[in-house]
Each structure stands twice: as structure tokens, then as C-alpha cells.
Amino acid sequence: MDLHLATIDYLVIILYMIGMLVIGFICSKRVSTTDDYALGGRTLNMPVMIGTSVATCMGASAAFGNMGLVQTNGVISALITLGLWHVGWIVLIVFSKALRRSGAVSLPDFIGKQFGQTSSIIASLVTVIQQISSVGAQSASIGTLCALFGLCTKNTGIVLGGIIILAYTITGGFLAVCVTDVVQAVMLVVCLVIIIPVLSFTMASGPAAAFAAVSWDWSTIDVKDLVALALSYFIAAGAHASYTQRILASKDEKTAFWGSVISDGIGWAAEWIVILTACCIPLVMPELGDWEQFSAAMIGTYFPPVLKGLFIAAILACVMSTADSFLIMAGSTFATDIVKKLNPSISDKTELLISRVTTLVVSILGISFALRGGSIFRIFNYGAAAYGAAIFIPLACGVFWKKAHPIGVNIGMILGCAVTLIWNLSGLNSATGFGGVIIGVALCFIAVIGCTWILPERK
């Protein structure tokens, strides 16, 4: 497997990265408030809304993680898991009207408007925790790609990629993220959803031969593990902070709704195509030990110079486009939903500075998380499961059941996040056979219902 890059490929990659930094610098001239930094002035039109949402959806998971998911858990499990992610996104789209009409600037702000300032702060802290793990997963993807092509060591790639992401994100804010996302979404669909699948199935002698080369047996993954994984994906997407950010940043309600619907449809089709393409790996690259490397290996082995550099840059950019969204979300969440609520008198300039400093801190923590090692899929899933277990039920209550007691909501979020995270990190999921997300969601639900039933009705 020859993954050698020509000089022209290195040049293309460098120019692509420079272009992203230039876009960040240009967009920085339009960033003067936290609203500009976090929501781009709420000006997203339909094409930009779709482009940025698709690019965010197809980050490290589409380029790397979904292939690894098939290798670890089987085709059926991967199709169900990713399918429920997009069903969860549909649920969030149903919430979109209530989110926009609330006047909220973020998902934690929406929860705060329904249940009070303390609820907003707890939701914000949970969101920041999830962003750290997500940035870690994207950083790990960058390192994997850099090492695979001999650009540098994996750890060096993690650090350098993190620096580039931070540089254009911290200057240009959400607008820079969205502008670059549109280009990257097109590149990703062309490369990962069209060229690589067509090439892979052709080399595997067609879909029938490819599908026969992998196991479609349900026993590939334990049923309890599948339920926990699918549940964590469903609730994480149903309360996804970055998708919510795009809903709130759209120029109007119609753009937010239909832009999300179209993005979900494109993302769902694209990710299922990627999963089915993984069936070709035993025939096309039987020597490949880590299926997360397949897309990059195909580009490096079979693409000609220039195109090789262009699509490597596109995959790097795709991963960065997801990471930058998480960084923007973390910065604005901490500044607006925590600091601003605790000290309403701070100026816009100070709030913007706090957003940028938080972005820096979360970037450092995410890079540190990635440097510890572990699969891209596992790093992402730890944070997603804890976040979904804490936020999904309070969000649903905020939309449909405003009588839920704030104390129950607060206790539920704390238990949902903490128990899920500790359960998974401590290995209790393996020891007990139950995923932490099942326990976390159950405790969150019990806390909300129990406190609402026991405590006096709030005034």
C-alpha cells in the first residue's frame, strides 16, 4: 500500500490550509460582538445552512469512525446506530420552532428560559464537557491522517491540526466556520460518497460480492450494547448543540426548518453509503488492520497527484469543520450562558474575549484528550453519551412539558451526565453488561418526574 505524496500534493495541502486561515482573517472583520462570534449575526441563508450542517455531520465519523464502527460492531449495528442518529436529528428539527421562537441564543439558554438560571448554567457545563471530547475525537482523526501519509507523527499532527483549527476559529468565529463548511461539504460528498464508493465497489466486483464478504449476523454485538450505543446516538443528535446553533443562526424559521431537513437527509444517505462501502474492505484491502484508515488509504493508494493532495486536504478540512463548530459552541456557551448570566453587566467586548479564551482552553483540553490515545469512535461516544443523557429529557420538557420542576431538571442533568461518564470511564459498562447511557437517561427521567410529582408546583 503506497501512500507516498508527491511534492505537488504537499503544496496543495499547505495552500488549502492557508486559504482557511485567510478566510478566518477576512471574517474576523465582521466579528464585533458575541452574537457575531457565535451565530454569525443570524444571517445563514439556505445554501450556507445546508453546507455547514452537512459538513458538521460528516466530520471524523464519516471519514474514519463509521468504518471502525462496522469493523467493531458489524454492518447491521452500524446501520441501526447511524439511522437512529438521524432520527434523533429529526426530533431536534421538530423542536426547532420552539427553539427559535424562545429568543434563545443557544440550547442551554433555551433550557434556562424554561427552568431558570441554574438550569442554564448546568446545561452549559454539560455542553462544554461534551465539546471537549468531540474536539478530542476530531484532533485524533487529524493525527491519524497525518501519520498515515507520513506528514508527521500522530501526536505532532494532533497538535498542529489543533493549532490551525484554533487560529481561524478564534479569529473569524462562526461565520468563518460556515463559509469554509460550504466548500468542504461539496468536497466531502464528491470524495467520500461518490468517488471512493464507486471505486471500492468496482474493485470488489460489485455490491453482491462486497456484501457477501462481511458478516450480517446480529451476534456481532451484544443486544444490550447495541441498545446503549443506539440510544446514546439518538439522544445526542436529538439535543445536538451544534445543529441547534445552526437552527438559531438561520435567517428565518423556514430556512432553519427546511435547511435542517435537507441536511439530515443528505447526511443520512451519505453515512449509510460510507457504511456499506466498508463491506468492500475485506476484498479491496484485506491487509488493512484498522478500518478507520480506509478512506485515507484509498486516496493515498489510487488517487493521482494533485487530486490526492486536494482530497487529503478536504478530509483534513472536514474534520476541522466539525472541530471548529464544537470550539465555537464551547466558547459562546461558557461566555453567554455562564459568565453573562452570573454577571449581566459585562460588556460585549469582555464577553467576546471570554468566548475566545474559552475556545483556546477547550482546544488545549481536547488535544490533551486525543494525545492520551484510544479509538476516534470511543473518544467521541464518551462525551456524546453523557451529554445526551443529561440534556435530551430537559430539552423535550422545555418544548412539551413546561410544568417539569426546575429542581428535578437540575438533578436530572447532573445525574445523567455524571453517572454516564463515570460508568463508562470506569469500565462498569463492560462489567455489568449495561451501557452507562441507559443508567444515566433512566436517572435523569426519574429525577424530573419524581421531583415534579413530589415537590410543590412552581409559581
Side-chain angles (χ1 to χ4, degrees):
M1 185 168 58
D2 180 16
L3 301 185
H4 175 71
L5 297 181
T7 302
I8 187 66
D9 294 319
Y10 288 110
L11 181 61
V12 169
I13 293 171
I14 292 170
L15 290 175
Y16 199 108
M17 296 302 119
I18 291 174
M20 294 180 70
L21 293 173
V22 170
I23 289 173
F25 175 75
I26 293 173
C27 291
S28 69
K29 299 182 181 301
R30 297 178 57 181
V31 176
S32 57
T33 68
T34 304
D35 190 67
D36 294 333
Y37 185 72
L39 296 175
R42 301 177 190 261
T43 59
L44 299 192
N45 57 28
M46 188 69 76
V48 175
M49 168 63 174
I50 294 171
T52 185
S53 298
V54 170
T56 298
C57 174
M58 295 179 63
S61 60
F64 302 98
N66 289 348
M67 299 288 189
L69 184 61
V70 175
Q71 182 182 22
T72 303
N73 297 337
V75 181
I76 294 293
S77 170
L79 290 172
I80 292 174
T81 301
L82 268 299
L84 282 173
W85 173 276
H86 290 280
V87 172
W89 194 349
I90 291 173
V91 172
L92 181 61
I93 294 170
V94 173
F95 296 165
S96 64
K97 183 181 292 186
L99 286 166
R100 286 189 60 88
R101 292 183 178 181
S102 71
V105 298
S106 66
L107 194 150
D109 185 39
F110 173 79
I111 291 177
K113 286 180 180 295
Q114 313 308 316
F115 304 112
Q117 179 174 299
T118 302
S119 298
S120 176
I121 292 173
I122 294 172
S124 300
L125 292 173
V126 171
T127 300
V128 172
I129 290 172
Q130 190 263 340
Q131 309 307 325
I132 292 171
S133 74
S134 297
V135 171
Q138 311 305 318
S139 300
S141 301
I142 297 170
T144 297
L145 190 61
C146 289
L148 189 63
F149 286 100
L151 299 174
C152 56
T153 65
K154 180 176 180 177
N155 285 350
T156 301
I158 288 172
V159 174
L160 289 178
I163 291 172
I164 293 174
I165 296 169
L166 181 65
Y168 78 82
T169 302
I170 209 167
T171 54
F174 186 67
L175 185 60
V177 170
C178 293
V179 171
T180 56
D181 276 356
V182 174
V183 177
Q184 289 154 17
V186 174
M187 297 285 287
L188 287 171
V189 169
V190 170
C191 180
L192 299 178
V193 185
I194 299 176
I195 296 179
I196 289 180
V198 169
L199 179 61
S200 298
F201 281 111
T202 300
M203 294 176 63
S205 301
F211 296 158
V214 296
S215 173
W216 294 77
D217 190 345
W218 283 90
S219 63
T220 306
I221 181 174
D222 185 83
V223 174
K224 292 194 296 295
D225 292 337
L226 176 58
V227 170
L229 183 62
L231 177 62
S232 67
Y233 268 58
F234 171 79
I235 58 179
H240 202 285
S242 292
Y243 297 161
T244 301
Q245 185 184 32
R246 281 147 180 77
I247 287 171
L248 297 174
S250 298
K251 67 177 184 179
D252 53 43
E253 196 173 288
K254 180 180 178 181
T255 302
F257 180 85
W258 287 110
S260 297
V261 170
I262 295 170
S263 300
D264 187 28
I266 293 173
W268 197 336
E271 291 195 305
W272 272 21
I273 289 172
V274 170
I275 289 171
L276 294 176
T277 302
C279 298
C280 300
I281 297 177
L283 299 177
V284 176
M285 290 187 174
E287 76 286 357
L288 191 65
D290 183 358
W291 287 17
E292 287 188 346
Q293 299 178 356
F294 179 69
S295 296
M298 287 292 289
I299 295 172
T301 304
Y302 298 108
F303 282 41
V306 178
L307 277 182
K308 184 183 295 187
L310 184 62
F311 284 117
I312 290 172
I315 290 182
L316 279 169
C318 125
V319 176
M320 291 178 180
S321 73
T322 304
D324 55 31
S325 296
F326 292 131
L327 287 176
I328 289 287
M329 194 73 236
S332 60
T333 295
F334 186 80
T336 303
D337 298 319
I338 298 179
V339 177
K340 184 80 170 179
K341 282 183 168 55
L342 293 175
N343 183 13
S345 64
I346 64 170
S347 65
D348 284 343
K349 185 177 180 180
T350 302
E351 188 180 352
L352 178 58
L353 176 61
I354 293 171
S355 291
R356 285 174 161 155
V357 171
T358 304
T359 299
L360 171 62
V361 173
V362 170
S363 179
I364 293 171
L365 292 174
I367 290 171
S368 301
F369 198 6
L371 291 172
R372 293 181 58 192
S375 74
I376 296 162
F377 157 72
R378 188 171 298 278
I379 293 172
F380 171 79
N381 193 52
Y382 279 154
Y387 172 82
I391 299 296
F392 181 77
I393 290 175
L395 172 60
C397 289
V399 175
F400 297 116
W401 194 47
K402 294 180 175 59
K403 290 184 178 180
H405 202 286
I407 293 178
V409 169
N410 297 343
I411 294 174
M413 286 192 289
I414 293 171
L415 287 176
C417 179
V419 171
T420 302
L421 202 57
I422 293 171
W423 192 279
N424 289 335
L425 289 175
S426 66
L428 283 172
N429 52 341
S430 300
T432 63
F434 284 95
V437 67
I438 297 176
I439 309 300
V441 170
L443 289 175
C444 182
F445 180 79
I446 291 170
V448 173
I449 299 298
C451 288
T452 304
W453 179 48
I454 295 171
L455 297 176
E457 184 176 349
R458 61 171 175 157
K459 296 180 180 181

